[in-house]
Structures are given as C-alpha cells and as structure tokens.
Amino acid sequence: MSEKRPVVVDLRFARESVVNALRSAFPDRPVIDMGDPAHADRDLSDAEFAVVWKPDPALFRRATGLTAIFSGGAGVDHILSAYELPDLPIVRFVDRSLTDRMSEWVVWQCLHHLRNGIAYAGQQQHRVWHEIADQPEARDVTVGVMGLGVLGADAVHKLKIIGFNVIGWSRREKEIDGVETFDANGLDAFLGRTDILVGLLPLTDDTRGIYDRALFSKLRRSGPLGGPIFLNAGRGGSQKEAELVECLKDGTLKAASLDVFEKEPLDSDSPLWSMPNVIVTPHAAAASDVRALFRHVEAQIGLFEAGKPLEFVVDRTAGY
C-alpha cells in the first residue's frame, strides 16, 4: 500500500474524460476523485495536492493539509477570484497539447477572416456562386496579439509561418525574435497598426473589461480587410460584451470570432449567436486534455518531491 498522501481531483470537465484519464494517472499514490459520490463526505485532511477546475468552494476548507494546488487550465482567475485560498503555490497548466490547440484556433480564425469565410458560408447557404475579387494575402494583414505568455508567443510564431505580419503587446516589455512588441505605454501605437486583434490576455484587475469601444475604435480602419476584426480566446471577463455587440453593429468592428464570454455558457438570447459577422465557439479553443493535465501534475510533483522548485507558479500579485 502506498505511503504517499493522496491527490484530490475536483475538475468540472466531462466526467468520462476524467474517469478515463484517472485509470493510468498517479499510480504511486491514492487519488480522491470528488466527482465520485462515494467521496462526497470523505475526510480530505490527508490530501497533499489538489488538481482543480472550478471546484466545490468547500474543498479548500476541507483539504487542510495541501502543499500545492494545480489548475486544470492555463488560466487561474477562476481560482483567484472565487475562493478563499490557503497560502500555497498555485501552478498553471502549461503543456504542448494545450498550447498547440490554442494556436490552431487562432490561425484557423485568422485564415477564416482573411479568406472571406463568413461571406462564402453565407453564399453557400443561399446557393450563390460568386468569387470575391481582390482578396489580400496574409503578408498584407497585420495581426496584433495581446498577451505574450506561452500561448501568445506560440500563436505569434505560427501566424508568422503562415505569412501574416505579426506584432505583439503585453503590459510588461517582452522580446520575441523577429517580432515588434509593445508594452503598456505603446498600446495606442500597437492598436493603430492592427487589422486583426487577437486577445490572449489573462484576466486580472488590469485586463478586466479592457476590450471596449474605446479600444476597438483605435484599431486600424484603412487595412486590407475592410475593417478591424476581433478574436478573443483569452478570458470573457476581458471584454465588455454590450459595447462589443454595438461595435459589431455599427461597423467599428467588421467581424469577430469569440471563444470566451462574460457569462458561460453564453445566454441563448445573446445577440452574438445570430449576428452574421460573428463566429461563436463554446470555450473550446484550447480545451484541456485531461491525460496531458495529469502528466503535467505528475511531473511537477516529481520536481517537488526531489526538492526542486515547481514550474509555472502563479504570481498572485500579478494574477497569472
């Protein structure tokens, strides 16, 4: 019998994916799966690590012996904003599969808008055969990526491979080879050159509601796409949806692709569902691969038990 203390798992993911992943995860220690009703009233005081995504608020009061908390996703605002947390390290999920999925979504949406995907989908629906003339190339379009962490930096790299002109923005100065970057003081200059704005920012006090009419109005209006386009796969709380809708109606924005929303699931009566210039995906741009998540946690626990520092620890002051 293992002498190691348990890992408690409380993930609001598809139940089947968690169960399947747990069959081969954490073979050397007990696992307390809070999705199993048999554990509803279990004593959690002996748990050493917690793997969570939108867990039961009582979890951290019950699991008093934790030494580290692992987020089930790249973001941690769901933990920092909604729970009273013990003073423990919180570790973000950083993995190749998650990073690749996010970059794939960003590239897909940029190409969709570049190649008139919305217009052609409408023509197909109405059985119209009409080639749209004067289509720009990727090299003609500037994609501005807001958020240059692991996900943003990878998206920048892959957009450049496709041929887009790419620039980047982050609150603090960052350097990426071959890419012009801007910091907080250069936001207006960054926006003024951007045709497709990609939002990959974490949700913090500084970024909450940052995507509003004032920001959208500073995007380049004379670009080759006929108006600026907004993509958001970061956090829904970073956009002011009422203002976003109005900007999509009055032409301040030509179009948008949205994977995240202020309230999720997106309300069935939201106008975003039926707007012809909007693509909606259900927070699926970088859905966590649960097996990859557990491999990540196992690797971090291995570092911890070897006396080495954990990786990807959240700076609670910065919020990411």
Side-chain angles (χ1 to χ4, degrees), residues 105-106 110 143-147 155 159 190 194 196-201 211 229-233:
W105 187 92
V106 171
C110 286
V143 180
V145 178
M146 289 186 74
L159 287 165
F190 165 83
T194 295
I196 300 177
L197 178 65
V198 178
L200 292 176
L201 290 169
Y211 301 123
I229 293 166
F230 176 52
L231 279 56
N232 192 10

Side-chain angles (χ1 to χ4, degrees), residues 46-57:
D46 60 338
E48 185 173 10
F49 304 102
V51 187
V52 300
W53 183 258
K54 300 181 180 178
D56 183 332

Side-chain angles (χ1 to χ4, degrees), residues 2-19:
S2 173
E3 296 181 359
K4 293 186 176 181
R5 292 166 54 199
V7 173
V8 59
V9 175
D10 195 353
L11 297 168
R12 297 300 189 265
F13 294 165
R15 182 67 189 144
E16 183 179 1
S17 66
V18 176
V19 171

